[in-house]
Amino acid sequence: MIKIEEYMDIKDYSTLKIGGQFRYFAVISNKEELPSFYAIAYDERKYKNIPIFVLGGGSNIVFSDGVLKVITLKIEIKSFEIINETSEYIDIKVGAGENWDNFVRKTVNMNLVGIEALSFIPGTVGASPVQNIGAYGSEVKDTIQEVEVFDIEKREFSKIYNKDCKFGYRDSIFKNEAKGRYIITAVTYRLNKSLPTIPKYPGVAKYFEDMEIVSPTLSQIRDAIIYIRKEKLPDPRVSPNAGSFFKNPIVLNAVADKIKIDFPEAKFFPVDENHIKVPAGWLIENSGLKGKSFGSVSVYDKNALVLVNTANATFEDIIKTRNEIIKIVKDKFDIELQQEPEIL
Ligand code: EPU
């Protein structure tokens, strides 16, 4: 029988350490509990018309203050199952509640190639397809085979294949048209038995050049990624944060050309013939905001893309700071930044 708790404090479920209370809260540790949970939630009057919110690691979300009128489901479904193996690859089906980095560590130890560059990203396996997590030249979409879901509308389990997930940069069907429709219960990844290659990313290449390593092992690649991440991203247990707070904007070449007049040294990244990616961190830093404190919220001094909650910030403090940064960057560069984490 599932226990539905009331008025659960949110802060401990948020790596940014903000938020009020969830009106209702339940932990799901076995996918078979979902149908009976829905039977209760939809049939008992007091839960009627209260939206369900699925919580993973709480590392990419900004929670509001006060009582959030939702039934939060904390997904703790754990499993790890090899479902298919050939001489070239292995398909592994993993429970949505598994810690993402524990899963990466395990596959690196098994010498499987594919997600090593995604080492040390906080959060859960179930969250990985939602925002198509990406880092150091890899995106998780390139390894996902299918996503197992509980379809809330039909109240049955189903599978969504990679091609139907509509993956994009930090984007998928789960953030858009399918939002609120599914609960992700497991994800199947295809990982390769091939030799690892150095992630195509300037900082990683430089790390191995400095170490004079030409063909690193998979664990050396994982170690490099962890080292580089630690340099640029604050540990949420020490400095509460939600990772990158803004998306890297993709703009028309002409917009970037205009910036280059004043900043000829700036390094931007072509996306296609007409578009170029301008790092949000660069824009914020060159607006003079790196390390700047906005009361209880600061722009991280080693990486301007990260906002840190330095003194029990409220939701409003975060949003005010966000808006101020967006405005200053817009005034200076005529580019409007977009928030990266979700808001609830
Ligand atoms: N930059 C600056 N100043 C800063 C920060 C960055 O000039 O304060 C410049 C860097 O010098 C570099 C460029 O911006 O030329 C890109 O920086 P970096 O390689 O550190 O990556 P990022 O664009 O800041 C993205 C992801 C990260 C991911 C890294 C590594 C987004 C929104 N962020 O950051 O993802 O770890 O690349 O691949 O795409 C996250 O999503 O939470 C996250 C941490």
Side-chain angles (χ1 to χ4, degrees):
M1 186 70 183
I2 293 149
K3 197 167 144 218
I4 301 185
E5 294 180 66
E6 302 199 30
Y7 299 106
M8 177 64 88
D9 286 340
I10 295 175
K11 279 198 176 71
D12 289 341
Y13 294 101
S14 144
T15 60
L16 194 54
K17 283 259 176 285
I18 69 162
Q21 291 180 317
F22 296 123
R23 178 66 182 87
Y24 297 106
F25 179 90
V27 173
I28 302 287
S29 31
N30 180 336
K31 75 176 194 193
E32 305 309 333
E33 291 168 346
L34 283 168
S36 55
F37 165 79
Y38 273 90
I40 302 170
Y42 276 83
D43 301 337
E44 265 189 48
R45 235 192 131 145
K46 66 175 176 178
Y47 301 123
K48 277 248 155 74
N49 299 323
I50 299 188
I52 306 256
F53 164 68
V54 179
L55 176 67
S59 55
N60 197 48
I61 185 151
V62 184
F63 292 107
S64 308
D65 292 320
V67 176
L68 305 193
K69 267 204 115 189
V70 289
I71 309 176
T72 292
L73 289 187
K74 171 104 171 67
I75 302 297
E76 290 187 357
I77 301 168
K78 304 267 167 89
S79 64
F80 181 96
E81 200 188 335
I82 292 175
I83 56 168
N84 186 20
E85 178 163 5
T86 71
S87 56
E88 281 159 27
Y89 59 77
I90 291 187
D91 292 338
I92 307 176
K93 183 176 178 184
V94 192
E98 292 282 358
N99 173 277
W100 170 258
D101 193 50
N102 286 346
F103 167 55
V104 177
R105 184 172 7 94
K106 209 159 166 170
T107 62
V108 165
N109 289 340
M110 290 166 76
N111 245 327
L112 295 171
V113 170
I115 49 175
E116 63 281 2
L118 304 177
S119 287
F120 216 55
I121 292 180
T124 58
V125 161
S128 68
V130 177
Q131 51 149 339
N132 179 24
I133 56 172
Y136 308 104
S138 286
E139 283 185 303
V140 77
K141 72 172 172 57
D142 297 324
T143 55
I144 290 179
Q145 291 291 108
E146 60 188 44
V147 180
E148 181 193 76
V149 296
F150 180 71
D151 183 335
I152 294 173
E153 254 169 47
K154 295 189 179 154
R155 290 215 205 164
E156 63 186 29
F157 290 96
S158 115
K159 279 176 186 172
I160 303 180
Y161 295 103
N162 181 307
K163 65 174 176 27
D164 300 319
C165 292
K166 299 192 182 166
F167 287 123
Y169 167 57
R170 295 288 190 278
D171 205 23
S172 76
I173 189 174
F174 305 106
K175 278 176 87 170
N176 297 295
E177 61 261 45
K179 198 175 168 149
R181 161 119 190 230
Y182 303 116
I183 292 177
I184 295 172
T185 50
V187 183
T188 302
Y189 303 86
R190 175 163 295 177
L191 302 174
N192 294 307
K193 295 181 175 176
S194 53
L195 283 174
T197 51
I198 297 179
K200 285 181 191 51
Y201 199 84
V204 187
K206 185 172 179 310
Y207 174 97
F208 287 112
E209 268 164 43
D210 291 351
M211 303 264 287
E212 297 183 16
I213 297 175
V214 180
S215 306
T217 64
L218 209 49
S219 351
Q220 283 173 323
I221 295 175
R222 172 170 163 83
D223 291 347
I225 299 290
I226 293 177
Y227 176 85
I228 295 167
R229 281 191 80 88
K230 281 187 175 166
E231 292 278 287
K232 289 201 172 164
L233 295 160
D235 179 349
R237 286 163 301 185
V238 182
S239 309
N241 73 87
S244 298
F245 204 85
F246 299 96
K247 288 192 192 185
N248 286 326
I250 291 165
V251 301
L252 285 167
N253 290 338
V255 177
D257 290 344
K258 231 170 94 193
I259 299 176
K260 289 253 177 163
I261 298 172
D262 290 330
F263 296 89
E265 307 286 297
K267 241 189 129 240
F268 302 154
F269 307 89
V271 174
D272 58 33
E273 228 170 86
N274 304 317
H275 296 87
I276 188 158
K277 186 145 108 181
V278 178
W282 185 93
L283 291 168
I284 299 168
E285 177 171 349
N286 287 284
S287 300
L289 299 175
K290 196 172 189 169
K292 189 174 159 47
S293 163
F294 293 81
S296 50
V297 184
S298 284
V299 179
Y300 188 47
D301 56 2
K302 291 192 212 155
N303 179 357
L305 199 50
V306 178
L307 297 187
V308 177
N309 170 2
T310 51
N312 298 319
T314 61
F315 177 75
E316 207 166 301
D317 295 335
I318 300 272
I319 296 303
K320 261 194 180 150
T321 305
R322 174 199 71 183
N323 293 346
E324 212 160 318
I325 292 170
I326 291 175
K327 183 173 183 309
I328 294 170
V329 169
K330 171 101 170 103
D331 289 349
K332 171 117 188 171
F333 294 109
D334 204 21
I335 294 179
E336 191 151 325
L337 293 180
Q338 270 181 20
Q339 177 168 340
E340 201 267 327
E342 215 183 310
I343 289 191
L344 185 71

